[in-house]
């Protein structure tokens, strides 16, 4: 039976425990380029003792950004900024694998950043035209997105592949494809957003086609030694939307194409969703996906307590746990979990003197000598 501090091998990458930093948009990039905010934020979380840090949803095209501040990987300047910023952040922390989430915002593009209200920005106000499988707005009162032509779909698929090549050159260790939260690939999967009548719409098979094609194309580009996963919204939480058996079928396809983990989230495609929020509320979805498919799964969503996280892994509900808000609130959460559960995690040697007496052995390899 695995526990929170047991290693896990994903292809040639070995994670030293089961705690993953969930991808978190920072809305702070300059035309897609990482900057000093990312240096500080990444550096802080690379010092956290987690097993893997996931860089935020990173747009494969400029128009595929959610906001003007979203990170991108669509041109040479984005690639150079990512590579340089990551190299600098890594020099200030113990080694930790870094994953990057590749994304396209679909009809949720051209949004204001959350601290400016997060609403759709009209073209006239500095926004741009969002694209989607069908011309159905996210909220009924919003202007509709433009439906993608087959040629435009092919360009987006190529952009995912090109961004993967850029991520490889920038030194990224693992990729996660964003198929969740109402962004483009989730929109293709969901009957609530996809009303196409061509090969990319219609029945479940048609709606899965593009996400699976993109996964396969990126997997073919991404080095065989490096792992790649996908984040899914296992259910839309709306009648007539994606249900768990749809997602189980999708996961089977992704695993057949070499998915090394499935990050099981939910919701985001419709404002009509009714999400039963509570501690670990998405864990049963991860458990059901894992049981039905045998996929390595990552559970996420209101996982905040070390014992709760350990029980998820030990009970076989998921292989990995991802934390987002909990790690912003307490970027040393893995240190504190190690202390609570009697384990250790790597930490910068500059901080080796920090543990209180009862947590003296929780920082791996810590020794201090003074005269
Ligand atoms: C500030 C912030 C930014 C986020 N950005 C992303 C993102 O880029 N990609 C993604 O898949 N989820 C994103 N999420 C969702 C989280 O990764 C996570 O799934 C969600 O917050 C639930 O986990 P938690 O309860 O540990 O916060 C974000 C969440 C927060 C709080």
């Amino acid at each position: 039976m695995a526990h929170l501090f047991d290693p896990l091998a994903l292809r040639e990458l070995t994670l030293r425990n089961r705690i993953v930093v969930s991808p978190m948009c920072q809305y702070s990039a300059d035309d897609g380029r990482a900057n000093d905010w990312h240096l500080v934020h990444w550096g802080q979380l690379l010092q956290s003792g987690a097993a893997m840090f996931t860089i935020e949803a990173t747009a494969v095209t400029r128009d595929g950004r959610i906001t003007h501040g979203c990170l991108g990987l669509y041109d040479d300047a984005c690639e150079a900024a990512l590579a340089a910023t990551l190299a600098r952040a890594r020099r200030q922390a113990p080694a930790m694998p870094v994953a990057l989430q590749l994304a396209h915002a679909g009809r949720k593009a051209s949004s204001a950043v959350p601290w400016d209200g997060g609403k759709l920005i009209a073209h006239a106000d500095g926004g741009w035209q969002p694209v989607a499988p069908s011309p159905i707005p996210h909220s009924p009162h919003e202007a509709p997105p433009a439906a993608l032509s087959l040629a435009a779909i092919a360009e987006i698929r190529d952009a995912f592949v090109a961004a993967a090549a850029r991520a490889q050159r920038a030194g990224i260790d693992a990729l996660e494809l964003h198929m969740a939260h109402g962004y483009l690939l989730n929109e293709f999967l969901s009957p609530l957003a996809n009303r196409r009548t061509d090969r990319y719409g219609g029945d479940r098979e048609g709606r899965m086609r593009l996400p699976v094609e993109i996964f396969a194309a990126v997997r073919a580009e991404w080095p065989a030694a490096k792992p790649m996963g996908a984040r899914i919204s296992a259910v839309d939480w709306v009648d007539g939307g994606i249900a768990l058996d749809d997602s189980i079928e999708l996961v089977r396809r992704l695993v057949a194409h070499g998915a090394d983990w499935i990050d099981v989230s939910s919701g985001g495609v419709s404002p009509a969703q009714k999400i039963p929020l509570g501690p670990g509320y998405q864990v049963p979805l991860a458990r059901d996906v894992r049981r039905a498919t045998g996929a390595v799964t990552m559970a996420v969503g209101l996982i905040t307590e070390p014992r709760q996280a350990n029980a998820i892994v030990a009970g076989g509900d998921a292989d990995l746990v991802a934390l987002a808000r909990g790690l912003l609130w307490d970027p040393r959460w893995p240190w504190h979990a190690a202390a609570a559960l009697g384990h250790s995690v790597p930490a910068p040697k500059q901080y080796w003197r920090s543990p209180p007496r009862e947590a003296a052995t929780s920082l791996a390899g810590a020794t201090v000598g003074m005269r």
Side-chain angles (χ1 to χ4, degrees):
M1 194 169 38
H3 293 87
L4 191 60
F5 289 94
D6 289 353
L8 179 69
L10 300 171
R11 301 197 182 219
E12 291 179 26
L13 188 69
T14 299
L15 305 186
R16 59 175 294 149
N17 59 53
R18 305 305 181 91
I19 306 163
V20 174
V21 183
S22 202
M24 279 181 277
C25 293
Q26 298 299 296
Y27 314 104
S28 299
D30 306 310
D31 195 351
R33 300 186 303 273
N35 56 35
D36 283 359
W37 171 259
H38 301 88
L39 175 68
V40 171
H41 173 67
W42 298 350
Q44 169 178 240
L45 289 165
L46 288 172
Q47 294 178 349
S48 69
M52 184 161 77
F53 170 62
T54 313
I55 292 178
E56 66 191 83
T58 302
V60 301
T61 67
R62 194 161 185 266
D63 286 0
R65 292 174 302 162
I66 309 166
T67 72
H68 281 292
C70 286
L71 202 63
L73 207 35
Y74 44 75
D75 63 19
D76 291 347
C78 290
E79 180 185 328
L82 176 72
T85 308
L86 185 56
R88 288 180 71 197
R90 276 179 159 150
R91 282 197 288 275
Q92 312 308 332
M96 185 194 295
V98 175
L100 179 140
Q101 190 186 49
L102 285 180
H104 189 297
R107 67 184 184 178
K108 283 183 161 179
S110 188
S111 298
V113 299
W115 46 84
D116 287 337
K119 297 272 182 285
L120 178 66
I121 308 175
H123 209 280
D125 299 328
W128 62 94
Q129 175 62 58
V131 295
S134 305
I136 306 167
H138 178 71
S139 296
H141 64 275
E142 290 175 346
L148 286 163
S149 67
L150 289 176
I153 287 177
E155 279 173 22
I156 288 176
R157 186 180 55 225
D158 293 349
F160 270 93
V161 175
R166 291 187 185 282
Q168 159 64 6
R169 290 196 292 269
I172 297 295
D173 300 299
L175 285 183
E176 181 174 270
L177 284 203
H178 201 343
M179 300 189 181
H181 302 169
Y183 299 113
L184 186 71
L185 298 184
N186 191 181
E187 291 162 16
F188 270 88
L189 290 165
S190 175
L192 302 175
N194 184 347
R195 302 274 164 77
R196 297 179 74 93
T197 53
D198 63 7
R199 59 197 299 268
Y200 292 116
D203 61 6
R204 178 160 83 189
E205 201 61 35
R207 285 182 279 107
M208 284 194 302
R209 185 164 283 119
L210 184 64
V212 173
E213 269 183 21
I214 290 180
F215 190 92
V218 173
R219 184 61 267 184
E221 173 68 35
W222 191 236
K226 293 188 175 185
M228 180 174 152
R231 171 168 276 197
I232 62 166
S233 274
V235 293
D236 283 338
W237 301 116
V238 179
D239 285 345
I242 294 173
L244 189 59
D245 60 324
D246 299 320
S247 293
I248 286 171
E249 196 48 43
L250 171 68
V251 170
R252 290 200 177 108
R253 307 297 169 96
L254 298 176
V255 168
H257 284 288
D260 298 295
W261 75 85
I262 302 295
D263 179 357
V264 185
S265 190
S266 71
V269 111
S270 165
Q273 64 190 12
K274 300 256 182 310
I275 303 185
L277 279 178
Y281 66 101
Q282 293 171 147
V283 173
L285 299 170
R287 179 198 61 210
D288 292 350
V289 166
R290 189 172 189 263
R291 287 193 186 152
T293 65
V296 170
T297 57
M298 192 185 294
V300 65
L302 291 179
I303 300 168
T304 54
E305 300 302 323
R307 283 187 171 71
Q308 174 199 18
N310 190 59
I312 290 166
V313 177
D317 288 343
D319 301 279
L320 294 157
V321 292
L323 278 76
R325 289 164 293 183
L327 272 164
L328 294 185
W329 186 245
D330 175 12
R332 308 265 192 271
W333 191 92
W335 299 18
H336 304 147
L341 300 174
H343 289 269
S344 66
V345 291
K349 55 185 179 300
Q350 292 90 336
Y351 296 167
W352 279 355
R353 289 173 68 189
S354 66
R357 188 177 306 242
E358 64 278 11
T361 58
S362 54
L363 302 187
T367 54
V368 270
M370 305 269 267
R371 58 189 292 236

